[in-house]
Amino acid sequence: MALADSTRGLPNGGGGGGGSGSSSSSAEPPLFPDIVELNVGGQVYVTRRCTVVSVPDSLLWRMFTQQQPQELARDSKGRFFLDRDGFLFRYILDYLRDLQLVLPDYFPERSRLQREAEYFELPELVRRLGAPQQPGPGPPPHSRRGVHKEGSLGDELLPLGCGEPEQQEGASAGAPSPTLELASRSPSGGAVGPLLTPSQSLDGSRRSGYITIGYRGSYTIGRDAQADAKFRRVARITVCGKTSLAKEVFGDTLNESRDPDRPPERYTSRYYLKFNFLEQAFDKLSESGFHMVACSSTGTCAFASSTDQSEDKIWTSYTEYVFCRE
């Protein structure tokens, strides 16, 4: 009987063990992983969850503390998606790491970054970005009248000497030189006399240099080379060269989003144009005094159908044009 009673007691004991097991399993797992992946406007960032929630009551804090993971938008690979400027978000993330604002020199996107800070509800960052920048110490007395070294926007100045010509030879007496800034100021706010823009040389003329234009295009030739073949579909026109020259020539039509912090005296190969017409790029280069000095191109051919080689032929090419201003 004792054996039977103990045998009958086993299920109850097992049930008790099961109860304790269900009690431990009822502990809810953390809603978000410690490492989170963010897709911000197509740019992928990997960071710790404690970083994105470091500022209480901010947008990211609410997203990753007050919402469920399934409530947040995700991309095709399961990363949390934010439809904002992916390039500027790196400065937002840097601020969230240590609550310090550190921006590179020659940063032209300050107002846009302030708008991003407002969106992410970071009031202290908004305040810092909106505050007037503190002027640095003025240039030394011997460089009060000078030009920026290498045409950059830095603090180092080169003296021009005791005197400068009032205007360029052949210029009219009433009109200032179009290439010389006669009312420029130093980074500290004080007038420093005639300064060169990043694309000017010492004598006030436009600085010489090279710009390379590249594009990858494709066109289709029909079975009998019909006249209605589709020619030269250009996806993107890239710009390589000195930053200051590229900005001088193309102005607002230059897309700098892939390399936004490049100083004027440095070189880049990551700019591209906001339009897709080669002739428009050539016109702008010609108007700025550039002329073509070299060109190279490569191409490949493939059939539209891998099984039927009587179908249209698709040609893909990459071409570069080198322009020079002497």
Side-chain angles (χ1 to χ4, degrees):
M1 288 296 294
L3 179 61
D5 291 340
S6 64
T7 305
R8 285 195 299 269
L10 284 176
N12 294 332
S20 63
S22 66
S23 174
S24 61
S25 64
S26 63
E28 294 184 1
L31 295 179
F32 293 94
D34 183 50
I35 304 298
V36 296
E37 293 187 55
L38 305 175
N39 179 347
V40 186
Q43 299 294 310
V44 176
Y45 294 89
V46 181
T47 186
R48 299 179 68 90
R49 176 183 171 273
C50 60
T51 298
V52 296
V53 300
S54 60
V55 177
D57 298 322
S58 65
L59 175 65
L60 291 172
W61 180 86
R62 290 200 308 273
M63 287 175 58
F64 289 93
T65 61
Q66 307 299 307
Q67 293 183 267
Q68 302 290 328
Q70 60 269 22
E71 297 175 345
L72 303 180
R74 294 176 182 253
D75 64 8
S76 58
K77 295 186 177 180
R79 296 176 290 230
F80 298 106
F81 180 76
L82 292 163
D83 189 15
R84 301 302 298 179
D85 191 313
F87 296 98
L88 292 178
F89 184 75
R90 58 176 168 169
Y91 303 112
I92 299 290
L93 194 58
D94 282 345
Y95 173 78
L96 293 175
R97 289 189 175 108
D98 53 16
L99 302 183
Q100 297 294 322
L101 174 62
V102 180
L103 298 178
D105 295 333
Y106 319 107
F107 186 68
E109 309 287 347
R110 195 178 186 92
S111 60
R112 293 181 58 193
L113 180 58
Q114 184 177 6
R115 184 177 62 185
E116 295 298 304
E118 292 171 352
Y119 174 82
F120 286 105
E121 300 179 27
L122 302 169
E124 177 61 22
L125 181 57
V126 173
R127 185 189 66 80
R128 295 185 187 182
L129 289 169
Q133 295 178 274
Q134 296 296 326
H142 69 273
S143 62
R144 282 290 176 179
R145 300 187 64 79
V147 297
H148 285 285
K149 182 178 180 181
E150 293 296 328
S152 70
L153 300 180
D155 295 332
E156 185 177 358
L157 299 177
L158 296 177
L160 279 179
C162 298
E164 302 105 28
E166 294 297 328
Q167 57 188 7
Q168 288 182 279
E169 182 180 357
S172 62
S177 168
T179 58
L180 197 60
E181 296 182 20
L182 297 178
S184 299
R185 293 184 175 272
S186 70
S188 62
V192 297
L195 298 182
L196 299 184
T197 60
S199 59
Q200 291 174 333
S201 60
L202 288 174
D203 60 359
S205 60
R206 292 182 295 188
R207 186 179 297 277
S208 60
Y210 290 84
I211 289 181
T212 300
I213 300 297
Y215 81 93
R216 190 178 305 277
S218 63
Y219 58 92
T220 303
I221 297 181
R223 291 186 295 273
D224 301 318
Q226 298 98 326
D228 60 349
K230 299 177 180 178
F231 288 100
R232 206 181 65 189
R233 183 179 62 186
V234 179
R236 177 177 291 177
I237 302 175
T238 60
V239 178
C240 308
K242 183 173 284 190
T243 302
S244 58
L245 287 179
K247 291 182 179 180
E248 176 203 345
V249 173
F250 297 106
D252 294 338
T253 63
L254 188 68
N255 193 321
E256 308 170 37
S257 60
R258 296 173 62 192
D259 198 3
D261 306 324
R262 181 70 59 175
E265 75 277 6
R266 301 294 296 276
Y267 290 83
T268 182
S269 60
R270 298 177 61 83
Y271 288 169
Y272 61 93
L273 300 179
K274 297 178 181 178
F275 53 83
N276 294 331
F277 299 100
L278 283 170
E279 292 76 12
Q280 186 176 351
F282 294 164
D283 286 342
K284 288 184 174 293
L285 286 160
S286 178
E287 292 168 359
S288 299
F290 284 83
H291 62 278
M292 189 186 302
V293 294
C295 173
S296 65
S297 182
T298 60
T300 59
C301 176
F303 291 96
S305 173
S306 59
T307 58
D308 186 1
Q309 296 189 355
S310 65
E311 293 295 325
D312 295 350
K313 295 179 180 179
I314 301 177
W315 287 84
T316 302
S317 65
Y318 179 75
T319 306
E320 287 187 338
Y321 302 94
V322 181
F323 288 81
C324 174
R325 184 170 69 188
E326 299 175 349

